[in-house]
Amino acid sequence: MPTRDRALFEVFGRLPLPMVRLGELPTPVQPLGPVQQALGSRSEAWVKRDDLSSDVYGGNKIRTLEVLFAEALAQGATHVYATGAFGSNHAVATLLHAPRVGLRPGALLFPQPPSLTALENLRVLASADADRLRLLHWSQLPFAVPYLRASRRLRGARPFVMVPGGATPRGALGYVSAALELAKQVAAGELPPPRAIVVGVGSTCTSAGLLVGLQIAARLGIGFAAPPRLVAVRVTPWPITSATLIVRLATRASALLESLTGDPRCRVSRAVLRANLEVDGTQLGRGYGRPTAAGREAIALFARVRNPRPLALDTTYSGKAAAALVARLRANAPGPWLFWSTKSTAPLPAHGASPSDPVLRGWMARAAGDGGPPTTVGR
Ligand SMILES: Cc1ncc(COP(=O)(O)O)c(C=O)c1O
């Protein structure tokens, strides 16, 4: 099921870029009134509901997978593998969506700090009929990826292995399209032009794509006179996530888009991209996957947004990003602000029996004892 029905194609016409349809796009935008009121903030705030991008499994990774699955199919792949931590949303999205386009899913997984948020995902990943390779540590990846490719080829499969988060220039084009989609919603009067956009950043794919797309929209005169500033909230320590890495991927995505469109306005310089990016490292806490008090507070606040589905955030990514926005709203920092909601709010499928792998079982037992308040609320 290839699709041309995406903002990128509406703006640039036919492009030599295959995409498959996984998401129900455009995702809605809505005011964050209940959050603003609870905080008594004078700053206006909105939300882009990418959590609603699919009823199968939503969130930000759907847009990246629309491009990467198409790339896998074009290369004749039979299997597509996600690479990520035990609680990876990218891996869950791959597992649930790949069969819809005729690909067999798999995952290369490595441990992360135990949490209830991650446990919800691992329960699905561990019980589903996917080809899993479980590592003891992420540092094994450089050896594990070639091993996975070679061993699966020997079994007659044609594997396509994605890098963590799908963070390639091609994968980022899904989020260039998302920025154009937002610009079209602004142009249609669905929301005011945001002054700044707040989003969680891990692999950098989402932020890099948005950074490029916002510039292009402004250059083409769609929605914004000036591009909104992007506030990327780090959930992994430097240098795993850094402004340099975001800008590097954005520059490569921009060059790729210029080559696909032949339009020089798609080429955005490193300096221009950097000037529009703010990396906020204040919400990381004790590290990746470790819940913070500010994140939990933001989760409770955002659960006040209830339609069309409760805005349930997670402690690893979106709760920390929301906490960065809460701090700005408390300070009445001038808006309008836009929160990019990246964690799926679609109900997860029921999971089957526990895995036999003792490492996974031990990790799951520790995660179940996380002890904090629920990490996703309002389901
Ligand atoms: C819910 C959620 N939000 C934000 C991100 C960050 O996106 P990226 O990895 O593209 O930087 C991720 C990454 O997996 C995610 O799962």
Side-chain angles (χ1 to χ4, degrees):
M1 50 214 81
T3 184
R4 296 274 127 199
D5 172 28
R6 293 293 178 251
L8 195 62
F9 302 120
E10 285 162 18
V11 170
F12 290 107
R14 286 189 68 82
L15 294 179
L17 176 72
M19 269 203 210
V20 293
R21 173 190 292 273
L22 303 176
E24 289 116 48
L25 306 180
T27 54
V29 285
Q30 62 189 116
L32 270 180
V35 175
Q36 226 180 296
Q37 281 152 23
L39 291 169
S41 175
R42 292 192 300 279
S43 309
E44 185 177 351
W46 289 70
V47 56
K48 173 77 169 155
R49 299 283 315 254
D50 267 13
D51 56 286
L52 302 171
S53 60
S54 166
D55 286 341
V56 176
Y57 188 76
N60 55 335
K61 290 304 164 186
I62 302 314
R63 297 182 185 267
T64 302
L65 293 180
E66 289 196 335
V67 191
L68 296 183
F69 284 1
E71 187 183 5
L73 289 169
Q75 291 181 14
T78 54
H79 291 62
V80 64
Y81 290 84
T83 306
F86 280 0
S88 166
N89 295 306
H90 187 227
V92 174
T94 298
L95 197 103
L96 299 177
H97 283 280
R100 300 177 65 209
V101 297
L103 287 164
R104 299 280 304 276
L108 232 165
L109 299 173
F110 49 85
Q112 68 173 92
S115 70
L116 290 174
T117 284
L119 178 62
E120 283 182 349
N121 281 359
L122 186 61
R123 279 195 178 124
V124 175
L125 292 168
S127 69
D129 177 26
D131 182 15
R132 270 189 319 274
L133 186 60
R134 193 260 310 145
L135 309 184
L136 286 172
H137 194 262
W138 59 262
S139 58
Q140 294 175 310
L141 278 176
F143 313 99
V145 172
Y147 165 77
L148 181 76
R149 283 205 189 97
S151 57
R152 280 17 181 207
R153 276 193 197 120
L154 278 177
R155 291 185 199 166
R158 286 196 297 275
F160 181 91
V161 184
M162 295 181 284
V163 297
T168 62
R170 198 170 267 265
L173 294 185
Y175 259 86
V176 173
S177 190
L180 294 171
E181 178 183 301
L182 175 76
K184 285 165 66 77
Q185 288 173 312
V186 172
E190 290 181 40
L191 76 164
R195 180 190 289 251
I197 296 175
V198 177
V199 70
V201 55
S203 75
T204 74
C205 190
T206 305
S207 301
L210 285 178
L211 203 54
V212 173
L214 296 171
Q215 285 291 338
I216 294 176
R219 287 180 181 187
L220 299 178
I222 309 169
F224 328 115
R229 190 169 84 258
L230 189 72
V231 180
V233 182
R234 265 199 301 114
V235 302
T236 60
W238 186 92
I240 296 172
T241 311
S242 66
T244 307
L245 287 180
I246 298 171
V247 171
R248 187 179 299 164
L249 182 59
T251 311
R252 292 172 65 207
S254 141
L256 173 62
L257 191 60
E258 187 195 19
S259 73
L260 293 173
T261 60
D263 187 332
R265 289 173 297 181
C266 294
R267 167 80 74 161
V268 190
S269 75
R270 217 169 258 264
V272 168
L273 292 165
R274 182 65 190 90
N276 205 40
L277 171 68
E278 178 185 336
V279 176
D280 180 335
T282 60
Q283 302 299 327
L284 179 62
R286 287 186 299 125
Y288 176 78
R290 296 187 187 275
T292 58
R296 293 201 202 268
E297 184 207 10
I299 291 173
L301 273 167
F302 279 59
R304 293 166 180 251
V305 179
R306 303 208 66 82
N307 291 316
R309 207 155 56 207
L311 185 48
L313 308 181
D314 70 296
T315 53
T316 304
Y317 289 96
S318 56
K320 289 183 176 178
L325 177 57
V326 166
R328 287 164 166 79
L329 294 181
R330 276 214 171 96
N332 294 311
W337 291 89
L338 179 86
F339 177 70
W340 206 293
S341 172
T342 52
K343 169 72 179 176
S344 174
T345 48
L348 283 169
H351 50 84
S354 299
S356 53
D357 180 343
V359 173
L360 288 187
R361 289 175 79 94
W363 187 93
M364 288 167 101
R366 288 197 302 283
D370 173 19
T375 51
T376 51
V377 286
R379 285 237 173 113

